[in-house]
Amino acid sequence: MFGFFSIWKKTADVPTGKDPVVAIVLDDKGGQAACTLAIRDKHVQRATAMGEFGRATCTGELPAADH
């Protein structure tokens, strides 16, 4: 049996006053997935979801806006 492995990257603008949140929810087939959050190219958090309906959430705090 061969596993499926996929990597994707998403860059997003976060509205002023809001902190970023990345959430993963697996379905009833389960498996494994991970989220990694970086803010301004600095690693902030990594979390892994496993199994049926596994969940993972990565959050971070945005630094003060540059003026």
Side-chain angles (χ1 to χ4, degrees):
M1 175 183 226
F2 294 98
F4 177 74
F5 186 79
S6 177
I7 296 176
W8 57 269
K9 178 179 179 179
K10 174 71 176 171
T11 301
D13 293 326
V14 178
T16 302
K18 302 286 184 181
D19 289 327
V21 177
V22 177
I24 297 170
V25 179
L26 301 176
D27 63 14
D28 60 344
K29 295 177 185 168
Q32 183 172 342
C35 60
T36 302
L37 179 63
I39 298 175
R40 296 187 180 163
D41 295 324
K42 181 179 177 186
H43 177 265
V44 176
Q45 189 177 35
R46 177 179 168 85
T48 304
M50 292 182 283
E52 288 183 10
F53 304 104
R55 296 173 183 267
T57 304
C58 290
T59 61
E61 187 174 321
L62 290 178
D66 295 335
H67 294 287

